[in-house]
Amino acid sequence: MIVKDNTQVSLRIGGIPYPMTNTTFEDVCTVQNACTILPTCRLILNDTTNFFSSIDLSDGCPISIAMGRSKNDKTYKAFDYILTDVSSIDISNGKQYVIYGILNNFKWLRVKPHKAYTGTSSIVAKQIATECGFTSTNIDSTDDSQVWMTSNLSYGQFAQYLSDRAYVDENSMIMTSVDENSIFYYKNITTIPESFPKPYTYFYQVKPDSSAKSNYRVTGISHSKDIGIANQMYGYDYNLINPRLSGLTKMSNKVNFKKNYSNKLEINESNLNMGNVRTEYCPPDCGNNHDFYNQAFYKNKRQRAFYSSDTIIQCEEYCSVNLFDIVRCEDTEIGGINPTEDVYFVVTGKTRMVTNKLAYVEQYVLTSTGKNTSNSSLR
């Protein structure tokens, strides 16, 4: 099926091609996010020919969604999902089905390995990704060698656990996810050059940037800030207390914020010294973890909370942009952003949708840290 901008889309359910016309579906949507274990999909389909009468819509039913500029273009790829949930309602000429799925990697999603791994968290992350069939990885090195126990976690949950306790230096912040291309990411978000990396991707509303490697026109833009709950949890004077077998305790109560993406941070400076807001306790340190195990947990949580400002943009074309890419964006709603300024956004979400209006839409969540502040070391 060909939609706007000559983008091609096809769908197979249970191994059988689904008849894609503007009357047999409402929309097909895939969602990738930096905070989820695997990408997901949603299909809203109008079955007017009893197509599903011969399909077993049960847990694990295969769903293949192919999208790209054209079938002969390298961008055209099929992404394999499995069904997780389905519901249906009667419509005038058949049934409408709402189907949810998740990227097809059952081992990553559900299997619990129950074993120990030795090495830095980045080495272990690559090892478990390989065990689960991710042949392509994008991993930043860490300095946190120890024996890592999976406990009762699935492979995907274990990767999240590793990233929470990963350590590179006092400024690092590790995040992990998998995109729809089955690329496994384990990225230190704060390792950005002092000057903006070139060539770069630029999203514009009015004027493209001649210095960019790619320019994509924005047809919709909105803004969201989760600053209240983020600051309540980790923004103001958050303490982590770590008792030791010696009887002494160690407290983590400060984090260094490296202003790489922009000179912005959503913190009310007048509240910084008002007193303790949140205190947590961790299990006694028995000396069998890496030297910064609890400090890394504290630091990663607080650093992530600072990235609380999202710019959500919509493009009506195929964009070669992936999770954790660093981009720039022109925003005329706030007076425009000059491409020569050091303003950075990290891509933390990507949604692709085809609608029965024959429209193809991509939506990106571009995350930054907020308004100007002079603070670089925060309690």
Side-chain angles (χ1 to χ4, degrees), residues 104-376:
N104 186 11
N105 194 314
F106 184 85
K107 187 173 183 179
W108 186 257
L109 182 65
R110 298 290 184 220
V111 173
K112 300 176 180 180
H114 297 297
K115 59 182 179 179
Y117 296 86
T118 301
T120 64
S121 69
S122 55
I123 290 174
V124 174
K126 183 174 179 62
Q127 186 175 346
I128 64 173
T130 300
E131 289 179 13
C132 291
F134 297 122
T135 56
S136 184
T137 58
N138 188 337
I139 297 176
D140 289 338
S141 297
T142 57
D143 183 18
D144 49 15
S145 185
Q146 68 168 61
V147 176
W148 300 89
M149 306 294 294
T150 61
S151 300
N152 197 34
L153 302 175
S154 68
Y155 277 100
Q157 292 169 330
F158 182 51
Q160 299 281 354
Y161 165 83
L162 290 173
S163 69
D164 284 345
R165 290 153 180 84
Y167 184 86
V168 180
D169 56 39
E170 63 179 10
N171 297 311
S172 60
M173 181 185 76
I174 301 294
M175 293 193 70
T176 185
S177 192
V178 176
D179 72 9
E180 66 182 359
N181 294 293
S182 290
I183 298 175
F184 171 73
Y185 295 87
Y186 196 79
K187 300 296 294 178
N188 183 5
I189 302 302
T190 61
T191 55
I192 307 301
E194 294 300 320
S195 59
F196 195 87
K198 294 183 179 181
Y200 54 85
T201 297
Y202 189 65
F203 291 101
Y204 73 95
Q205 289 182 282
V206 178
K207 183 179 179 181
D209 181 2
S210 59
S211 300
K213 69 173 181 179
S214 302
N215 282 278
Y216 299 113
R217 185 172 178 272
V218 174
T219 58
I221 191 165
S222 62
H223 305 278
S224 173
K225 295 184 179 182
D226 295 323
I227 53 179
I229 189 169
N231 285 336
Q232 174 64 28
M233 294 289 288
Y234 301 112
Y236 301 121
D237 202 4
Y238 160 52
N239 300 325
L240 181 67
I241 297 177
N242 177 207
R244 300 194 169 193
L245 295 183
S246 64
L248 300 176
T249 60
K250 182 178 180 180
M251 178 183 291
S252 296
N253 61 1
K254 183 176 290 189
V255 65
N256 290 317
F257 174 73
K258 189 175 182 181
K259 294 178 283 188
N260 275 332
Y261 291 86
S262 64
N263 184 30
K264 299 178 179 181
L265 186 61
E266 281 286 0
I267 290 288
N268 186 329
E269 295 183 64
S270 64
N271 291 338
L272 286 175
N273 298 310
M274 295 292 288
N276 177 252
V277 172
R278 183 180 178 86
T279 298
E280 290 184 351
Y281 294 82
C282 50
D285 183 356
C286 298
N288 55 348
N289 297 316
H290 68 82
D291 291 342
F292 300 97
Y293 181 84
N294 290 309
Q295 180 182 338
F297 176 80
Y298 172 87
K299 178 174 56 59
N300 282 319
K301 290 291 186 182
R302 290 202 72 183
Q303 291 275 18
R304 291 171 193 166
F306 295 149
Y307 291 84
S308 56
S309 297
D310 292 333
T311 296
I312 300 96
I313 61 170
Q314 175 179 298
C315 300
E316 296 179 9
E317 61 180 308
Y318 187 93
C319 305
S320 296
V321 177
N322 299 310
L323 286 182
F324 302 115
D325 280 359
I326 309 303
V327 301
R328 285 180 170 172
C329 180
E330 175 191 47
D331 187 351
T332 57
E333 291 187 10
I334 55 174
I337 293 176
N338 188 331
T340 62
E341 293 182 50
D342 289 331
V343 178
Y344 311 97
F345 296 90
V346 58
V347 178
T348 58
K350 178 179 180 178
T351 298
R352 302 205 290 163
M353 177 181 287
V354 179
T355 74
N356 62 357
K357 304 282 193 257
L358 302 186
Y360 175 78
V361 175
E362 293 190 359
Q363 184 183 83
Y364 291 89
V365 180
L366 312 181
T367 301
S368 61
T369 53
K371 65 182 182 180
N372 290 328
T373 181
S374 59
N375 286 286
S376 60

Side-chain angles (χ1 to χ4, degrees), residues 57 59 261:
L57 289 179
D59 182 34
Y261 291 86

